[in-house]
């Protein structure tokens, strides 16, 4: 008899516990507005849903190993849904510094089990948000080419420069100790013409303060990039495949197309990455020079349809000038600078890249011989090697190209002293410039 009573009591206890567990709740936490920065006093809204109400809730900010309570609810609530509005930031938590932090919201259910929920957001503390002020000049832009903008940024920021669509160009302090900053930027050959270049100051991902540059696209003077059919012979395929894919096997045409597309892409990435090997000052003081006595066989941004036995096998855009002179002509540095690449580079064959400062670089491809080394300083007109047909080249020529912060541009403006005077020298100090 007694035994069965114990069993019944135990059963009741188990059932009660089960009821408590089943009926208990976990709060559902939500921050209805997107929060990514904390400023002086950033308004925050926290929404909590819990069928038994909320026993306790708090918000803390963690930064550099320390934790700061920024808000706490004052008394338990039985409401199923509760919304709290409060502010967090430097005003109430002066210990916060500029930089990354974590906002943590916690709430505990108002029932026996006191289940709790926690929500974390990565935030950036910005004590003084940046403001950007751009020069009031009219910027004449040409598709595929470059320009220079001056501006000033105040407040706190982690990065600044120019955005053109999805491309980014760095900002540099004005030379000669002048106030403000500048960016050399490019309007890439394939950028939609409706894109407005903007100066930006960044305070963490997705938190850019921007200001547009006043740009004018003189319609009449825009370049008309050309389209050409490029007949691919079996001999050319053999030459390219034998040189750039010597150990490969299979259909030579497929291997050629792979080299032309995938290797080209990888080589262009290698070129683009050289933007980080740049001087923080101008290394030149004269207009750029075009290889003397050379014939342009192909211009910048020429769209090439590759035709093999009457059938199109590939399409690529040629991002440079093919300059032909005599065979094995001495390849001259277009301007003073520092060699940042001297060696083989896939489709570009034996290749030299010269840095001229502020992300501006010249590229020389298909050489038969290289006579400079990475790190060498070169002078305008200095012979750096001999022309040839290494890489994706069917005849002896120099593939001459230029890039700005890794974006390949039409070099022709930089050959023009008037353009350099109007777009560069008028806006920043270019010591010793002689047009
Ligand atoms: Zn070329």
């Amino acid at each position: 008899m007694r035994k069965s009573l114990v069993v019944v009591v135990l059963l009741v206890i188990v059932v009660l516990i089960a009821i408590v567990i089943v009926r208990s709740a976990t709060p559902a936490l939500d921050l209805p507005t997107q929060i990514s920065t904390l400023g002086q006093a950033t308004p925050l809204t926290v929404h909590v849903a819990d069928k038994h109400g909320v026993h306790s809730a708090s918000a803390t900010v963690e930064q550099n190993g320390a934790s700061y309570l920024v808000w706490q609810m004052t008394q338990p609530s039985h409401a199923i849904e509760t919304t709290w509005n409060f502010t967090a930031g430097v005003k109430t938590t002066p210990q916060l510094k500029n930089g990354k932090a974590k906002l943590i919201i916690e709430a505990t259910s108002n029932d026996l089990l006191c289940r709790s929920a926690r929500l974390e957001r990565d935030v950036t503390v910005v004590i003084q948000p940046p403001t950007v002020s751009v020069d009031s000049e009219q910027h004449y832009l040409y598709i595929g080419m470059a320009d220079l903008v001056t501006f000033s940024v105040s407040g706190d920021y982690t990065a600044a420069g120019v955005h053109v669509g999805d491309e980014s160009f760095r900002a540099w302090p004005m030379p000669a100790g002048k106030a403000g900053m500048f960016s050399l930027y490019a309007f890439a050959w394939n950028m939609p013409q409706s894109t407005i270049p903007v100066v930006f100051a960044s305070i963490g991902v997705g938190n850019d303060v921007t200001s547009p540059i006043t740009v004018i696209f003189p319609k009449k003077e825009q370049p008309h990039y050309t389209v050409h059919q490029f007949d691919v012979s079996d001999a050319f395929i053999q030459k390219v495949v034998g040189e750039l894919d010597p150990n490969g096997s299979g259909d030579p045409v497929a291997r050629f197309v792979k080299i032309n597309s995938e290797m080209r892409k990888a080589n262009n990435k290698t070129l683009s990455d050289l933007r980080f090997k740049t001087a923080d000052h101008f290394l030149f003081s004269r207009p750029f020079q075009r290889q003397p006595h050379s014939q342009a066989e192909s211009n910048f941004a020429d769209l090439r349809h590759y035709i093999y036995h009457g059938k199109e096998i590939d399409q690529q855009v040629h991002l440079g000038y093919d300059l032909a002179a005599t065979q094995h002509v001495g390849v001259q540095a277009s301007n003073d600078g520092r060699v940042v690449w001297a060696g083989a580079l896939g489709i570009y064959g034996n290749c030299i890249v010269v840095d001229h400062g502020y992300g501006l670089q010249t590229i020389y491809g298909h050489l038969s011989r290289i006579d400079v080394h990475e790190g060498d300083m070169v002078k305008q007109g200095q012979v750096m090697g001999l022309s040839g047909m290494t890489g994706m080249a069917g005849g002896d020529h120099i593939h001459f190209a230029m890039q700005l912060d890794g974006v390949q541009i039409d070099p022709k403006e930089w050959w023009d002293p008037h353009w350099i005077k109007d777009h560069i020298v008028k806006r920043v100090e270019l010591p010793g410039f002689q047009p």
Side-chain angles (χ1 to χ4, degrees):
M1 193 62 196
R2 224 173 239 175
K3 242 183 193 172
S4 60
L5 191 70
V6 169
V7 168
V8 167
V9 168
L10 277 175
L11 222 83
V12 167
I13 289 170
V14 167
V15 166
L16 281 175
I17 289 171
I19 286 170
V20 167
I21 290 171
V22 168
R23 292 201 58 221
S24 78
T26 304
L29 280 173
D30 185 28
L31 279 165
T33 47
Q34 194 63 39
I35 169 85
S36 54
T37 59
L38 288 181
Q40 290 290 327
T42 302
L44 293 173
T45 300
V46 172
H47 180 255
V48 186
D50 190 309
K51 60 184 177 185
H52 296 148
V54 180
H55 180 261
S56 64
S58 66
T60 49
V61 175
E62 277 182 16
Q63 192 181 45
N64 304 325
S67 180
Y68 310 101
L69 183 68
V70 296
W71 169 82
Q72 200 169 22
M73 71 181 281
T74 45
Q75 57 187 55
S77 151
H78 289 286
I80 293 170
E81 303 221 8
T82 320
T83 299
W84 286 284
N85 292 303
F86 55 94
T87 64
V90 185
K91 229 176 199 170
T92 46
T93 314
Q95 302 95 320
L96 292 174
K97 305 260 185 302
N98 278 324
K100 286 184 184 354
K102 234 181 207 32
L103 172 69
I104 297 154
I105 312 286
E106 281 168 304
T108 306
S109 185
N110 199 12
D111 60 27
L112 282 173
L113 282 191
C114 295
R115 281 187 173 146
S116 64
R118 180 185 165 98
L119 189 148
E120 281 189 26
R121 286 278 187 282
D122 287 320
V123 291
T124 306
V125 176
V126 181
I127 297 170
Q128 190 67 55
T131 55
V132 170
S133 145
V134 182
D135 66 30
S136 52
E137 289 190 51
Q138 295 189 320
H139 291 263
Y140 288 88
L141 279 194
Y142 304 95
I143 293 170
M145 302 191 213
D147 184 47
L148 187 150
V149 63
T150 59
F151 52 91
S152 60
V153 182
S154 59
D156 302 323
Y157 60 98
T158 51
V162 171
H163 282 318
V164 186
D166 57 354
E167 286 170 348
S168 220
F169 302 88
R170 285 166 285 184
W172 305 91
M174 286 290 261
K178 282 196 181 157
M181 308 181 97
F182 79 97
S183 278
L184 280 167
Y185 66 100
F187 198 91
W189 60 275
N190 57 350
M191 189 58 66
Q193 215 185 312
S194 57
T195 310
I196 305 287
V198 296
V199 171
F200 74 92
S202 175
I203 45 173
V205 180
N207 285 295
D208 288 355
V209 173
T210 64
S211 184
I213 300 170
T214 308
V215 294
I216 294 166
F217 292 90
K219 268 220 164 61
K220 268 198 294 190
E221 300 159 56
Q222 292 303 325
H224 294 285
Y225 293 127
T226 48
V227 180
H228 279 106
Q229 291 215 343
F230 192 88
D231 281 310
V232 182
S233 66
D234 284 302
F236 185 55
I237 288 180
Q238 285 306 328
K239 187 255 177 200
V240 169
V241 166
E243 190 184 321
L244 298 177
D245 184 26
N247 302 318
S249 60
D251 176 27
V253 176
R255 287 160 67 198
F256 173 86
V257 170
K258 198 172 168 186
I259 290 165
N260 201 29
S261 52
E262 286 175 30
M263 190 182 281
R264 180 186 296 270
K265 208 171 159 190
N267 299 154
N268 284 340
K269 165 91 167 65
T270 301
L271 286 175
S272 182
D273 287 347
L274 291 173
R275 67 189 182 277
F276 300 115
K277 292 187 174 176
T278 194
D280 61 356
H281 54 280
F282 286 118
L283 295 176
F284 66 97
S285 58
R286 277 165 295 191
F288 285 68
Q289 177 192 289
R290 196 178 129 160
Q291 177 72 25
H293 315 296
S294 65
Q295 210 66 30
E297 290 182 330
S298 182
N299 291 347
F300 179 79
D302 182 34
L303 172 63
R304 288 178 173 175
H305 295 274
Y306 292 82
I307 311 291
Y308 176 72
H309 289 304
K311 207 177 126 236
E312 179 164 327
I313 53 168
D314 200 7
Q315 255 188 44
Q316 296 295 333
V317 178
H318 179 255
L319 295 173
Y321 281 69
D322 286 344
L323 302 174
T326 50
Q327 274 208 0
H328 295 176
V329 72
V331 175
Q332 298 189 12
S334 181
N335 217 331
D336 300 356
R338 183 190 187 87
V339 177
V340 292
W341 182 280
L345 185 59
I347 66 157
Y348 296 104
N350 294 320
C351 184
I352 298 172
V353 181
V354 178
D355 177 58
H356 305 285
Y358 295 127
L360 188 64
Q361 296 170 330
T362 49
I363 299 159
Y364 313 76
H366 310 313
L367 277 63
S368 58
R369 206 178 84 191
I370 293 179
D371 295 326
V372 289
H373 298 95
E374 196 189 319
D376 286 358
M377 299 302 291
V378 291
K379 285 282 175 202
Q380 185 173 62
Q382 181 179 330
V383 171
M384 303 184 291
L386 300 180
S387 72
M389 50 186 288
T390 53
M392 180 83 71
D396 189 301
H397 72 273
I398 305 159
H399 174 89
F400 178 73
M402 213 160 174
Q403 62 181 10
L404 179 55
D405 250 347
V407 176
Q408 297 208 29
I409 55 171
D410 192 333
K412 75 178 184 195
E413 291 177 327
W414 298 91
W415 288 328
D416 176 5
H418 300 291
W419 181 87
I420 296 190
K421 198 165 157 252
D422 287 349
H423 289 255
I424 310 296
V425 179
K426 263 190 188 170
R427 294 170 180 160
V428 296
E429 202 99 357
L430 180 47
F433 181 74
Q434 297 287 331

